[in-house]
Amino acid sequence: MIKPRSRRGGGRPTIADVARKAGVGAITVSRALREPERVSEDLRRQIQAAVNELGYVPDPNARALASARADVFGVLVPSLTNNVFAEVVRGIYDSLSDGPFRVQLGNTHYSGLEEERLLQVFGPQRPAALIVAGIDQTPTARKLLETAGCPVVQVMETGPDPVDMLVGFSHLDGGRTATEHLIEAGYRRIGFIGARMDPRSQRRLAGYRAAMEAAGLFDARLVTTTPVPSSVTLGRELFRDALAKAPTLDGVFCNNDDIALGVLFECHRAAISVPRTIGIVGFNDLDMMQSAFPSITSIRTYRYEIGRRSVAMALAAIAGKRPEQRVVDLGFELIRRESTAR
């Protein structure tokens, strides 16, 4: 029988050192680290104390060789600073914090080519699962996901043709609901203001247009968009542009909350009454929507829960219990506030 390698001199501690320190076998240590639920709590604490004292760090390459998969969840999002995706990532981290899996993050910077490059980096590392934002991958990226050999969960969207599994909500329906709310509140010259018009924002715009056309209110001059990254300051500038094109504007659906807050600030500066003269609706319902004055109506999306659910679906697939429901729609909620309370 081959004995587990022990540390020599002052080198890096090995699993044999941990086993010796804890007074158990190396196999028991390995089981406790990889599948903590299979050992008793007392034994787990005993082994963890030895790990902490020795400063032992498991070798992910060795694990990958033993299991054919690294204990890593590869996660690709378009931004690490955007609060929307930060909430998704927080849900992923919180769901994996007590288990054997680690998270490896990749930032695609809203670039399909960068997503391809990161998938080419992640693939040879043989991750246990991949969680990827969106459904608009390039053909190359989709092929890389389809041949990854691990569970794949796309997030923040719904759709009929996921690579593997999908959890999110309909941006088109969200955009339509926001616009219909403004119409029902009595607004008629309702504009759409959007920045960084990625595919999700394009679908929100499509929902806006569908609602406006159904009501016989659509006018292309009411749409103001830019590919520039979103910010509150940009929201102020875009609202000024929108008013210059359509001076009779009386409502605005913004593709995100940063833009909505900028519109509100510009209304304050120009002494435009909200909601009497202009109604405002944002998207995502970040904390600042409730704190603004007047508070801003927004479409609430469940980003943290999307992160947690994506992990649950991936873990189930890893355990051989792949969910029967491959597409999970967590929906959204219209949060009515003062900015549309005419």
Side-chain angles (χ1 to χ4, degrees):
M1 182 179 70
I2 299 175
K3 295 182 179 180
R5 183 175 57 86
S6 180
R7 177 175 52 161
R8 292 183 179 179
R12 177 176 175 174
T14 68
I15 200 167
D17 297 319
V18 175
R20 189 179 304 106
K21 187 73 177 178
V24 299
I27 292 177
T28 302
V29 173
S30 178
R31 182 181 300 118
L33 295 177
R34 292 177 55 81
E35 303 174 273
E37 68 280 359
R38 293 186 59 188
V39 300
S40 69
E41 184 175 351
D42 288 343
L43 185 55
R44 191 162 62 247
R45 288 176 177 172
Q46 179 181 337
I47 292 171
Q48 189 60 49
V51 167
N52 294 342
E53 184 175 342
L54 293 172
Y56 172 70
V57 178
D59 183 347
N61 294 324
R63 284 187 175 188
L65 287 172
S67 65
R69 285 282 159 196
D71 292 337
V72 170
F73 270 48
V75 177
L76 296 183
V77 293
S79 172
L80 298 179
T81 56
N82 185 317
N83 287 334
V84 171
F85 293 103
E87 281 291 290
V88 176
V89 170
R90 186 168 69 87
I92 293 170
Y93 269 103
D94 286 355
S95 297
L96 293 172
S97 61
D98 295 330
F101 295 103
R102 298 172 293 111
V103 175
Q104 183 171 348
L105 277 176
N107 185 351
T108 68
H109 299 284
Y110 294 90
S111 166
L113 293 178
E114 178 64 9
E115 185 175 53
E116 289 178 13
R117 190 189 71 80
L118 287 170
L119 287 172
Q120 289 165 350
V121 171
F122 280 19
Q125 299 176 19
R126 302 183 64 77
L130 287 169
I131 298 175
V132 183
I135 57 175
D136 297 282
Q137 283 77 29
T138 66
T140 298
R142 185 175 177 98
K143 187 66 174 179
L144 288 167
L145 290 170
E146 290 172 342
T147 58
C150 66
V152 174
V153 186
Q154 294 161 285
V155 299
M156 294 297 286
E157 298 269 10
T158 57
D161 187 30
V163 171
D164 184 5
M165 295 172 283
L166 177 61
V167 55
F169 59 94
S170 170
H171 293 263
L172 186 146
D173 288 347
R176 178 167 33 222
T177 296
T179 309
E180 288 174 346
H181 169 66
L182 284 164
I183 295 170
E184 290 165 3
Y187 300 98
R188 290 297 176 265
R189 295 287 288 169
I190 302 165
F192 177 91
I193 297 181
R196 197 197 284 278
M197 294 298 292
D198 63 17
R200 285 170 289 277
S201 289
Q202 293 288 352
R203 283 187 266 279
R204 295 170 200 173
L205 172 57
Y208 156 85
R209 179 164 185 159
M212 292 290 282
E213 288 181 342
L217 299 173
F218 181 74
D219 180 344
R221 292 172 297 180
L222 296 171
V223 176
T224 304
T225 64
T226 177
V228 175
S230 180
S231 71
V232 174
T233 299
L234 181 62
R236 296 184 63 174
E237 297 170 358
L238 292 176
F239 182 59
R240 287 197 294 268
D241 292 344
L243 281 177
K245 290 192 302 178
T248 58
L249 194 72
D250 69 351
V252 178
F253 167 45
C254 304
N255 78 318
N256 63 48
D257 291 338
D258 288 347
I259 298 297
L261 192 61
V263 170
L264 178 63
F265 286 168
E266 185 59 21
C267 285
H268 288 332
R269 188 202 65 79
I272 298 172
S273 174
V274 177
R276 185 165 58 89
T277 304
I278 291 282
I280 305 171
V281 178
F283 201 100
N284 284 312
D285 196 36
L286 302 181
D287 288 343
M288 59 189 176
M289 295 295 95
Q290 183 174 356
S291 301
F293 181 79
S295 58
I296 301 176
T297 298
S298 189
I299 297 292
R300 176 173 293 171
T301 58
Y302 302 103
R303 289 95 57 193
Y304 181 77
E305 179 58 30
I306 287 172
R308 292 189 67 89
R309 186 67 69 89
S310 68
V311 170
M313 294 169 77
L315 289 175
I318 290 170
K321 301 175 182 178
R322 186 174 294 274
E324 291 184 10
Q325 187 178 358
R326 295 174 57 215
V327 178
V328 176
D329 185 351
L330 292 182
F332 54 83
E333 182 180 359
L334 173 70
I335 306 299
R336 296 172 173 83
R337 295 197 178 95
E338 294 167 340
S339 69
T340 55
R342 216 174 198 182

